[in-house]
PDB file of all heavy atoms in Angstrom:
ATOM      1  N   ASP O 192     -14.897 -32.700   5.441  1.00 51.00           N
ATOM      2  CA  ASP O 192     -15.269 -32.297   4.090  1.00 51.00           C
ATOM      3  C   ASP O 192     -14.269 -32.849   3.090  1.00 51.00           C
ATOM      4  O   ASP O 192     -13.237 -33.427   3.423  1.00 51.00           O
ATOM      5  CB  ASP O 192     -15.316 -30.775   3.995  1.00 51.00           C
ATOM      6  CG  ASP O 192     -16.645 -30.298   3.431  1.00 51.00           C
ATOM      7  OD1 ASP O 192     -17.140 -30.928   2.482  1.00 51.00           O
ATOM      8  OD2 ASP O 192     -17.166 -29.308   3.948  1.00 51.00           O
ATOM      9  N   LEU O 193     -14.588 -32.649   1.813  1.00 49.00           N
ATOM     10  CA  LEU O 193     -13.689 -33.097   0.761  1.00 49.00           C
ATOM     11  C   LEU O 193     -12.485 -32.178   0.608  1.00 49.00           C
ATOM     12  O   LEU O 193     -11.447 -32.586   0.106  1.00 49.00           O
ATOM     13  CB  LEU O 193     -14.448 -33.177  -0.572  1.00 49.00           C
ATOM     14  CG  LEU O 193     -15.578 -34.213  -0.618  1.00 49.00           C
ATOM     15  CD1 LEU O 193     -16.350 -34.071  -1.916  1.00 49.00           C
ATOM     16  CD2 LEU O 193     -15.010 -35.618  -0.497  1.00 49.00           C
ATOM     17  N   VAL O 194     -12.657 -30.922   0.989  1.00 53.00           N
ATOM     18  CA  VAL O 194     -11.573 -29.950   0.911  1.00 53.00           C
ATOM     19  C   VAL O 194     -11.042 -29.767   2.318  1.00 53.00           C
ATOM     20  O   VAL O 194     -11.737 -29.283   3.193  1.00 53.00           O
ATOM     21  CB  VAL O 194     -12.071 -28.608   0.332  1.00 53.00           C
ATOM     22  CG1 VAL O 194     -10.922 -27.636   0.199  1.00 53.00           C
ATOM     23  CG2 VAL O 194     -12.727 -28.837  -1.014  1.00 53.00           C
ATOM     24  N   LYS O 195      -9.817 -30.148   2.556  1.00 54.00           N
ATOM     25  CA  LYS O 195      -9.351 -30.194   3.935  1.00 54.00           C
ATOM     26  C   LYS O 195      -7.836 -30.052   3.989  1.00 54.00           C
ATOM     27  O   LYS O 195      -7.139 -30.044   2.968  1.00 54.00           O
ATOM     28  CB  LYS O 195      -9.764 -31.502   4.591  1.00 54.00           C
ATOM     29  CG  LYS O 195      -9.344 -32.757   3.811  1.00 54.00           C
ATOM     30  CD  LYS O 195      -9.924 -33.999   4.456  1.00 54.00           C
ATOM     31  CE  LYS O 195      -9.586 -35.250   3.656  1.00 54.00           C
ATOM     32  NZ  LYS O 195     -10.256 -35.268   2.350  1.00 54.00           N
ATOM     33  N   PHE O 196      -7.311 -29.945   5.208  1.00 54.00           N
ATOM     34  CA  PHE O 196      -5.872 -29.926   5.467  1.00 54.00           C
ATOM     35  C   PHE O 196      -5.473 -31.281   6.029  1.00 54.00           C
ATOM     36  O   PHE O 196      -5.208 -31.441   7.210  1.00 54.00           O
ATOM     37  CB  PHE O 196      -5.536 -28.836   6.486  1.00 54.00           C
ATOM     38  CG  PHE O 196      -5.298 -27.491   5.881  1.00 54.00           C
ATOM     39  CD1 PHE O 196      -6.351 -26.659   5.595  1.00 54.00           C
ATOM     40  CD2 PHE O 196      -4.018 -27.061   5.567  1.00 54.00           C
ATOM     41  CE1 PHE O 196      -6.145 -25.427   5.034  1.00 54.00           C
ATOM     42  CE2 PHE O 196      -3.805 -25.824   5.000  1.00 54.00           C
ATOM     43  CZ  PHE O 196      -4.871 -24.998   4.726  1.00 54.00           C
ATOM     44  N   GLY O 197      -5.435 -32.286   5.181  1.00 53.00           N
ATOM     45  CA  GLY O 197      -5.029 -33.605   5.647  1.00 53.00           C
ATOM     46  C   GLY O 197      -5.849 -34.036   6.838  1.00 53.00           C
ATOM     47  O   GLY O 197      -7.068 -34.087   6.803  1.00 53.00           O
ATOM     48  N   THR O 198      -5.161 -34.348   7.913  1.00 54.00           N
ATOM     49  CA  THR O 198      -5.850 -34.756   9.146  1.00 54.00           C
ATOM     50  C   THR O 198      -5.750 -33.688  10.211  1.00 54.00           C
ATOM     51  O   THR O 198      -6.044 -33.938  11.372  1.00 54.00           O
ATOM     52  CB  THR O 198      -5.224 -36.057   9.674  1.00 54.00           C
ATOM     53  OG1 THR O 198      -3.829 -35.836   9.901  1.00 54.00           O
ATOM     54  CG2 THR O 198      -5.395 -37.192   8.658  1.00 54.00           C
ATOM     55  N   THR O 199      -5.301 -32.493   9.830  1.00 60.00           N
ATOM     56  CA  THR O 199      -5.088 -31.425  10.806  1.00 60.00           C
ATOM     57  C   THR O 199      -6.276 -30.472  10.808  1.00 60.00           C
ATOM     58  O   THR O 199      -6.690 -29.980   9.751  1.00 60.00           O
ATOM     59  CB  THR O 199      -3.809 -30.640  10.481  1.00 60.00           C
ATOM     60  OG1 THR O 199      -2.719 -31.548  10.390  1.00 60.00           O
ATOM     61  CG2 THR O 199      -3.532 -29.604  11.561  1.00 60.00           C
ATOM     62  N   ALA O 200      -6.829 -30.228  11.973  1.00 63.00           N
ATOM     63  CA  ALA O 200      -7.958 -29.312  12.086  1.00 63.00           C
ATOM     64  C   ALA O 200      -7.494 -27.875  11.875  1.00 63.00           C
ATOM     65  O   ALA O 200      -6.429 -27.483  12.342  1.00 63.00           O
ATOM     66  CB  ALA O 200      -8.613 -29.448  13.456  1.00 63.00           C
ATOM     67  N   VAL O 201      -8.297 -27.118  11.160  1.00 71.00           N
ATOM     68  CA  VAL O 201      -7.989 -25.721  10.886  1.00 71.00           C
ATOM     69  C   VAL O 201      -9.096 -24.860  11.480  1.00 71.00           C
ATOM     70  O   VAL O 201     -10.283 -25.111  11.228  1.00 71.00           O
ATOM     71  CB  VAL O 201      -7.867 -25.468   9.372  1.00 71.00           C
ATOM     72  CG1 VAL O 201      -7.607 -23.996   9.096  1.00 71.00           C
ATOM     73  CG2 VAL O 201      -6.773 -26.324   8.784  1.00 71.00           C
ATOM     74  N   PRO O 202      -8.762 -23.862  12.285  1.00 78.00           N
ATOM     75  CA  PRO O 202      -9.815 -23.020  12.866  1.00 78.00           C
ATOM     76  C   PRO O 202     -10.538 -22.205  11.806  1.00 78.00           C
ATOM     77  O   PRO O 202     -10.009 -21.931  10.729  1.00 78.00           O
ATOM     78  CB  PRO O 202      -9.037 -22.113  13.827  1.00 78.00           C
ATOM     79  CG  PRO O 202      -7.639 -22.085  13.295  1.00 78.00           C
ATOM     80  CD  PRO O 202      -7.418 -23.439  12.698  1.00 78.00           C
TER      81      PRO O 202
END
Side-chain angles (χ1 to χ4, degrees):
D192 233 319
L193 296 173
V194 183
K195 53 186 177 293
F196 273 84
T198 58
T199 305
V201 177

